[in-house]
């Protein structure tokens, strides 16, 4: 299913965006605000969401994992 792959890619891009946003706040704020912590909290939440989406997609047969041939 193409839409399941698109959802995974969108979540991965959101994780990267929030990760770099946290890095920007870390450098800019010099530890004066909680924006870095909030960004990294969002990253952890999005990573958990990605894991849940992958597990459920595999369980319901939407995505089919394949191993390395050998």
């Amino acid at each position: 299913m193409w839409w399941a792959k698109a959802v995974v890619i969108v979540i991965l891009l959101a994780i990267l965006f929030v990760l770099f946003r946290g890095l920007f706040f870390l450098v800019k704020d010099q530890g004066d605000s909680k924006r870095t912590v909030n960004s990294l909290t969002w990253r952890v939440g999005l990573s958990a969401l990605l894991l849940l989406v992958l597990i459920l997609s595999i369980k319901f047969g939407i995505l089919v994992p394949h191993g390395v041939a050998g």
Side-chain angles (χ1 to χ4, degrees), residues 8-70:
V8 169
I9 290 171
V10 167
I11 294 173
L12 281 172
L13 290 174
I15 290 170
L16 283 174
F17 172 75
V18 172
L19 183 64
F20 282 109
R21 193 171 107 183
L23 176 64
F24 174 76
F25 291 147
L26 180 67
V27 172
K28 182 180 178 201
D29 293 344
Q30 300 290 323
D32 294 334
S33 73
K34 290 191 169 199
R35 294 194 298 182
T36 303
V37 174
N38 290 339
S39 292
L40 295 179
T41 302
W42 271 99
R43 187 188 62 85
V44 170
L46 287 171
S47 297
L49 176 66
L50 178 63
L51 185 63
L52 182 67
V53 166
L54 287 174
I55 289 172
L56 291 176
S57 296
I58 291 170
K59 179 175 173 59
F60 292 120
I62 298 169
L63 295 176
V64 179
H66 56 82
V68 176

